Amino acid sequence: VLSAFSDLGFRRAFAALGCTVPRRANLVGNFRGRIYLNLTELSAIAGQVPGLRPQNVLPLGGGSEVERLERGRRDASPIGFLSRLPLTAARFARENLGLRGRIERFEPGFRGECLRVRSLDLRVLSSLALDETLSDVEQLLNEAGGLLRTAYGGLLAALVPLSATLRAARGRDGAEKLQRDLLSSLEDVESAHPARELLHIAELVATEPQVRAVIVNGSRELQVDALPAGPAREAVLAFQGRFGHRGIREAELSEPRWREDPTLIFDAIRLHLRALPDGVPSAIQRGKALRAAGEHALRELGLPSRAAVLALLRVVRNAMRQRERLRDHVVQVLDLMRLLACDASRRMAIRETEIGSDAAFFLTLQELHAFLRGELRTVRPLVQMRRAAYERDRTLPDPPDTFVDYPPPAVALASSRDVLEGLPASSGQVQGKARVLTSTREIGGLEPGEILIVPAADVGWSPLFLAAGG
């Protein structure tokens, strides 16, 4: 699902920028169960846009090997791009200027379809009805994903000139810091809401001694039903209702959501409860201070540069809001797909008891449809083969984030390193103890103010961000 979604997304994004993408271009690859982007191919296609270089684009996504890509870069003739520019600009403006209206027209039907699918009793549906419902959810993913891809294209189109304008005015190092500060702590971004809401719930729990005692002394298997009745319990239930479709590694369909496993919810509340008495400066306050400092620094720019930056900044901030709003919609659809896959797994386990309770997650969408339509009589060989490959990949060290040709052998990856390098996910500078978490079971060891380090950060980890030092 994600490989196809990513490949189509990049193709449409490049097309929106006026680039031609070779039909056989290999943009996305699968290595040891991980999805990788082909940076060489992506850089070559992006090189059709005059001035769009790897050093301008790759740092936005954390890509490395920029110097290697710059050395191998060949300037494409701008004639084709420039000849298409009027048509591209008109299409791009039409899609992005009308995006807000398209989102508002899409959302009522989207919410209704999500409610309809969630209200179904999947156990009583026939296999063909479940198959049709899966097709409906795939269509919903295409619609939400199409809007999300447009939002990403609009964000990139505004972010690149913003970065270029700041570099021209402040130099590379100063521009990167100023851009981070200006884009810090946007309060109405959808992906920030879960973390903020859990902080508010922790403040509420602190005023209810009985609830606080249950949460602080409860096991990691604590469920919402165990909380004493009252405002705090109702707030946690409301949180699950609004954000229950999200979770750590939420793009991975086989991972449980907060609605199914509230462990991280209670871990985050416990963490905030430890931070509240000490008055640890919140990440919200720090983010606001950084953004204010960035806006103050803009006053030092000349009037033409300042006016250009302010105009682009408004566009970028709005595009970030739209992107996160639509990404939340896509995650809701993935949650629906997970619900259907879980029920399909239940049906498979009834027919072939030895294949486990999660068999559907080892099939492609096409194979899952074939099973539900009765065209695939047995899934056991496929599931057994892929489960073995999955377990093998899990035992191997993670491949590097970036590599040339193919990832190095697992033996070469096993050697330890003295220095851990990564992508910073928060602005500013702070010094503190580093806490490396490789799974959610280790969250209990995190202390307020420590530097949180995880293999890959998404919204599912964000409830911990407001208590971490960085």
Side-chain angles (χ1 to χ4, degrees):
V1 173
L2 190 57
S3 294
F5 187 88
S6 301
D7 182 86
L8 182 60
F10 278 105
R11 290 178 184 276
R12 289 186 176 175
F14 280 127
L17 291 174
C19 300
T20 57
V21 182
R23 181 172 297 179
R24 296 188 177 183
N26 184 19
L27 304 181
V28 180
N30 187 316
F31 296 90
R32 296 179 193 160
R34 281 84 168 175
I35 295 175
Y36 280 86
L37 305 180
N38 188 336
L39 298 183
T40 308
E41 192 91 73
L42 294 173
S43 298
I45 296 169
Q48 298 174 36
V49 181
L52 193 58
R53 305 180 64 91
Q55 66 184 15
N56 306 140
V57 179
L58 293 184
L60 300 176
S64 57
E65 298 284 351
V66 176
E67 292 78 10
R68 180 191 293 268
L69 290 167
E70 283 285 352
R71 289 197 303 270
R73 181 178 182 271
R74 297 178 182 177
D75 289 324
S77 171
I79 296 175
F81 174 83
L82 295 175
S83 65
R84 294 187 298 271
L85 188 57
L87 182 61
T88 300
R91 183 176 64 245
F92 187 86
R94 183 176 65 252
E95 289 185 352
N96 284 275
L97 291 177
L99 182 59
R100 181 188 294 270
R102 290 171 61 196
I103 294 173
E104 291 175 353
R105 291 190 297 273
F106 167 75
E107 286 184 325
F110 173 80
R111 287 192 293 266
E113 183 66 359
C114 288
L115 285 172
R116 182 189 72 83
V117 175
R118 290 189 192 284
S119 66
L120 294 173
D121 186 349
L122 300 181
R123 288 176 172 266
V124 302
L125 290 185
S126 68
S127 292
L128 288 178
L130 189 65
D131 178 67
E132 291 177 4
T133 305
L134 179 59
S135 296
D136 293 340
V137 172
E138 288 178 68
Q139 178 60 31
L140 203 61
L141 180 62
N142 289 335
E143 294 171 3
L147 291 172
L148 175 61
R149 286 185 280 263
T150 300
Y152 263 109
L155 176 59
L156 180 62
L159 200 53
V160 169
L162 174 64
S163 301
T165 305
L166 290 174
R167 278 198 305 275
R170 295 290 296 268
R172 181 172 180 178
D173 292 339
E176 289 182 0
K177 180 184 184 306
L178 181 55
Q179 179 171 304
R180 284 196 304 269
D181 292 349
L182 290 169
L183 298 178
S184 287
S185 195
L186 297 183
E187 298 178 7
D188 52 351
V189 174
E190 182 67 34
S191 53
H193 292 165
R196 293 172 186 270
E197 186 63 27
L198 278 179
L199 176 58
H200 294 321
I201 291 175
E203 293 169 343
L204 187 61
V205 169
T207 67
E208 299 186 35
Q210 286 184 312
V211 178
R212 180 184 182 125
V214 171
I215 292 178
V216 170
N217 300 321
S219 69
R220 300 200 77 247
E221 286 71 38
L222 180 65
Q223 297 295 315
V224 183
D225 293 343
L227 299 181
R233 183 177 186 271
E234 293 304 314
V236 175
L237 287 171
F239 178 90
Q240 282 191 307
R242 184 179 176 189
F243 304 111
H245 59 281
R246 309 215 71 150
I248 289 178
R249 298 183 69 232
E250 59 191 12
E252 170 55 69
L253 292 173
S254 65
E255 287 290 321
R257 314 289 146 153
W258 288 338
R259 181 191 62 256
E260 306 165 67
D261 182 3
T263 303
L264 183 128
I265 295 176
F266 290 120
D267 279 336
I269 293 173
R270 294 184 189 104
L271 183 61
H272 286 311
L273 289 174
R274 294 202 300 274
L276 289 174
D278 300 326
V280 177
S282 75
I284 297 175
Q285 294 169 324
R286 296 198 306 270
K288 286 181 178 179
L290 287 168
R291 192 174 67 177
E295 291 173 350
H296 180 77
L298 284 181
R299 300 174 189 172
E300 302 174 6
L301 303 182
L303 183 59
S305 295
R306 184 166 71 248
V309 168
L310 288 172
L312 288 167
L313 191 58
R314 283 193 294 271
V315 176
V316 169
R317 286 174 172 173
N318 185 55
M320 289 175 68
R321 295 183 183 100
Q322 291 180 332
R323 177 195 64 181
E324 293 307 303
R325 180 175 172 180
L326 291 165
R327 184 153 64 179
D328 180 75
H329 292 354
V330 167
V331 175
Q332 288 188 56
V333 182
L334 295 179
D335 179 47
L336 297 179
M337 197 169 283
R338 170 174 167 77
L339 290 175
L340 302 181
C342 286
D343 191 74
S345 295
R346 178 187 64 82
R347 296 168 189 244
M348 294 173 192
I350 292 173
R351 182 182 297 182
E352 301 180 89
T353 56
E354 69 277 15
I355 62 173
S357 60
D358 58 350
F361 297 104
F362 293 95
L363 303 180
T364 66
L365 273 175
Q366 292 76 13
E367 291 162 352
L368 184 52
H369 279 297
F371 168 79
L372 293 173
R373 293 169 186 165
E375 299 164 2
L376 188 61
R377 295 297 179 183
T378 176
V379 297
R380 184 174 60 183
L382 285 172
V383 171
Q384 289 178 337
M385 176 181 67
R386 289 174 185 157
R387 192 187 296 277
Y390 173 71
E391 294 298 339
R392 178 202 64 210
D393 290 337
R394 286 183 65 191
T395 62
L396 298 176
D398 284 340
D401 292 339
T402 309
F403 54 82
V404 178
D405 294 328
Y406 290 92
V411 175
L413 292 170
S415 59
S416 61
R417 293 187 297 168
D418 295 328
V419 178
L420 187 65
E421 297 177 352
L423 182 69
S426 51
S427 296
Q429 294 182 342
V430 67
Q431 182 173 330
K433 185 175 182 178
R435 178 73 61 178
V436 182
L437 304 183
T438 57
S439 78
T440 56
R441 293 198 165 275
E442 301 167 347
I443 292 174
L446 180 67
E447 292 296 333
E450 291 183 337
I451 311 300
L452 174 64
I453 301 174
V454 294
D458 57 15
V459 174
W461 286 102
S462 66
L464 307 181
F465 293 174
L466 297 187

